[in-house]
Amino acid sequence: MMTKDQYIDSLRGLHLNLYSFGKKVENVVDNPIVRPSLNSFAATYELAEDPQYEDLMTATSNLTGKKVNRFTHLHQSTDDLIKKVKMQRLLGQKTAACFQRCVGMDAANAVYSTTFETDEACGTKYHENFVKFWTDVQNNDWGVDGAMTDVKGDRGLSPSKQADPDLFLHVVERTADGVYVTGAKAHQTGYLNSHYVLVMPTISMREGDEDYAISFACPTDAEGITLILGRQSCDTRKTEEHNDIDVGNKVYGGHEVLVIFDRVFIPNDMIFLNGETQFAGMMVERFAGYHRQSYGGCKVGVGDVLIGATALAGEMAGSAKASHVKDKLIEMTHLNETLYCCGIACSSQGTKT
Ligand SMILES: Cc1cc2nc3c(=O)[nH]c(=O)nc-3n(C[C@H](O)[C@H](O)[C@H](O)COP(=O)(O)OP(=O)(O)OC[C@H]3O[C@@H](n4cnc5c(N)ncnc54)[C@H](O)[C@@H]3O)c2cc1C
């Protein structure tokens, strides 16, 4: 597994083609708007180094038998699912932000089982491809962005019926060695802090959508990829001097980018779905199921910090004993613990696929 420092150094080796405010960003790692999100992602490495969190932050790989960061683990039991939610609450408490590594974990678990079922039905080799790729991810402790959301265009039309063919990411050319893909994925959490991107379809597909039923992985700095950093309100405050007092959570944060693919080449062994339209929906639903479970942990951890901060603000303002302030703190705690209960309950009720 990588240490936090090794992880940050590894990001310096990426050549991300990122634009922000209309300009190319030459140094992504030290960019003041990106950096808080990098610090949050790095916490997934830092906490895995701490012996007191070993049980939550690490697991034994079913692929290699080695100890891996739980963010790269393929769930083997309901105990794994429960520990995943508890790990996410811990990270939320430590960062009070999105730590971004869940999307790739949820994507991997969806693609792992969907490729198995696709191969059984279609005689393809996607599961073998995915296991090889994910073994590399675990052995190198890479960060992986999970890319599902297309820009979509007319929500009433299927991908192949859109006026602009690039509104859903699709195959534009097939060769003996692989495929070229064009399109975009929107709102990509943690992409800039990841080594690889794992792409999936965004909706169920039907006959005629074969070129859009595509899943694959590639390096985040692959040739043909352009990134546009998403704006957030007050983001330029992070670039100002003497800003300690008014940027809120100064150390940690999140980001999303628009990822534009322009004829990006994907070799055959990195393809996990290619034209089997009937399995696009399964991949989407399995990802969405795992991702909703994630929110039963990560948002609860952030909620813990917000509730504590609210109580502290009440104390400092001398209003902590007011009944309407207490009512609101109780309501926040009630909602937060209910969300956590949902995450733990769905985990404990899981069954083997
Ligand atoms: C902070 C943040 C982080 C994110 N991170 C990631 C990430 O890491 N990876 C990723 O892949 N995605 C990510 N997303 C994307 C997220 O999953 C999508 O925003 C979400 O699925 C909604 O899609 P959309 O934005 O295209 O909205 P739309 O699909 O356009 O939905 C807008 C509204 O229209 C309704 N609607 C849409 N289609 C129809 C229809 N056919 N009929 C009737 N009503 C319809 C919806 O229910 C909704 O009310 C992120 C989003 C946010 C906000």
Side-chain angles (χ1 to χ4, degrees):
M1 296 189 297
M2 272 197 269
T3 64
K4 176 188 166 187
D5 292 340
Q6 286 169 334
Y7 162 68
I8 295 171
D9 281 350
S10 73
L11 293 181
R12 292 190 190 283
L14 294 176
H15 301 286
L16 297 172
N17 186 23
L18 172 69
Y19 287 80
S20 176
F21 301 100
K23 291 198 186 87
K24 178 94 193 270
V25 177
E26 299 299 343
N27 178 352
V28 178
V29 170
D30 298 311
N31 181 283
I33 293 178
V34 176
R35 185 64 191 221
S37 77
L38 186 157
N39 293 339
S40 299
F41 207 116
T44 69
Y45 291 86
E46 188 178 15
L47 263 62
E49 290 177 62
D50 189 334
Q52 67 173 309
Y53 301 126
E54 186 180 9
D55 187 45
L56 283 190
M57 293 300 303
T58 66
T60 302
S61 166
N62 65 309
L63 302 179
T64 65
K66 290 185 202 160
K67 183 174 158 181
V68 293
N69 190 303
R70 189 174 291 283
F71 279 97
T72 68
H73 188 47
L74 299 164
H75 315 308
Q76 299 299 303
S77 62
T78 50
D79 188 50
D80 273 345
L81 293 171
I82 290 168
K83 282 182 179 157
K84 173 195 166 190
V85 173
K86 291 185 171 178
M87 168 181 77
Q88 290 167 313
R89 187 170 190 170
L90 173 72
L91 258 305
Q93 289 171 342
K94 295 286 183 194
T95 62
C98 172
F99 35 91
Q100 308 142 57
R101 211 174 168 189
C102 315
V103 203
M105 169 175 53
D106 295 334
N109 277 281
V111 174
Y112 183 61
S113 63
T114 305
T115 50
F116 185 87
E117 293 191 38
T118 311
D119 287 359
E120 268 194 333
C122 306
T124 44
K125 290 255 189 293
Y126 301 136
H127 191 65
E128 192 181 312
N129 287 350
F130 183 73
V131 166
K132 190 172 149 281
F133 165 61
W134 205 255
T135 303
D136 286 343
V137 169
Q138 289 187 339
N139 285 341
N140 292 287
D141 206 4
W142 284 326
V144 178
D145 170 271
M148 180 164 278
T149 308
D150 287 277
V151 294
K152 300 177 193 162
D154 184 335
R155 271 63 174 161
L157 297 175
S158 66
S160 56
K161 301 286 183 300
Q162 300 289 334
D164 179 341
D166 298 338
L167 289 171
F168 287 76
L169 188 135
H170 62 125
V171 175
V172 288
E173 190 184 333
R174 292 171 201 279
T175 70
D177 300 326
V179 298
Y180 288 85
V181 295
T182 289
K185 291 290 183 182
H187 319 300
Q188 292 307 300
T189 295
Y191 187 101
L192 305 175
N193 303 322
S194 301
H195 306 87
Y196 272 79
V197 53
L198 174 51
V199 170
M200 302 159 284
T202 205
I203 50 169
S204 297
M205 309 239 171
R206 55 185 83 135
E207 225 174 285
D209 292 332
E210 283 75 10
D211 288 343
Y212 295 84
I214 180 81
S215 171
F216 61 87
C218 69
T220 44
D221 59 355
E223 198 182 331
I225 292 181
T226 303
L227 309 166
I228 300 172
L229 185 61
R231 293 293 312 269
Q232 297 185 353
S233 68
C234 304
D235 50 11
T236 52
R237 284 192 180 187
K238 293 185 181 133
T239 64
E240 290 169 15
E241 258 189 284
H242 312 301
N243 63 3
D244 286 13
I245 201 165
D246 63 359
V247 289
N249 189 354
K250 188 174 158 83
V251 178
Y252 298 110
H255 77 252
E256 295 85 41
V257 288
L258 176 68
V259 185
I260 300 164
F261 293 77
D262 185 7
R263 290 187 60 80
V264 176
F265 179 70
I266 311 298
N268 285 329
D269 64 350
M270 291 292 267
I271 296 176
F272 315 129
L273 188 76
N274 186 6
E276 295 78 8
T277 49
Q278 68 275 31
F279 285 96
M282 180 188 284
M283 211 177 258
V284 174
E285 280 172 20
R286 289 193 181 169
F287 169 78
Y290 284 129
H291 207 46
R292 285 175 189 139
Q293 177 218 13
S294 283
Y295 289 137
C298 67
K299 302 304 176 218
V300 181
V302 176
D304 287 330
V305 179
L306 286 177
I307 293 165
T310 308
L312 182 62
E315 273 172 36
M316 292 176 80
S319 59
K321 291 197 177 126
S323 62
H324 66 284
V325 173
K326 279 197 220 162
D327 277 355
K328 284 175 182 108
L329 286 168
I330 292 165
E331 176 70 5
M332 288 166 82
T333 306
H334 178 194
L335 287 172
N336 212 39
E337 295 304 331
T338 304
L339 185 54
Y340 185 56
C341 290
C342 292
I344 295 294
C346 75
S347 303
S348 72
Q349 296 301 301
T351 52
K352 274 197 175 179
T353 47

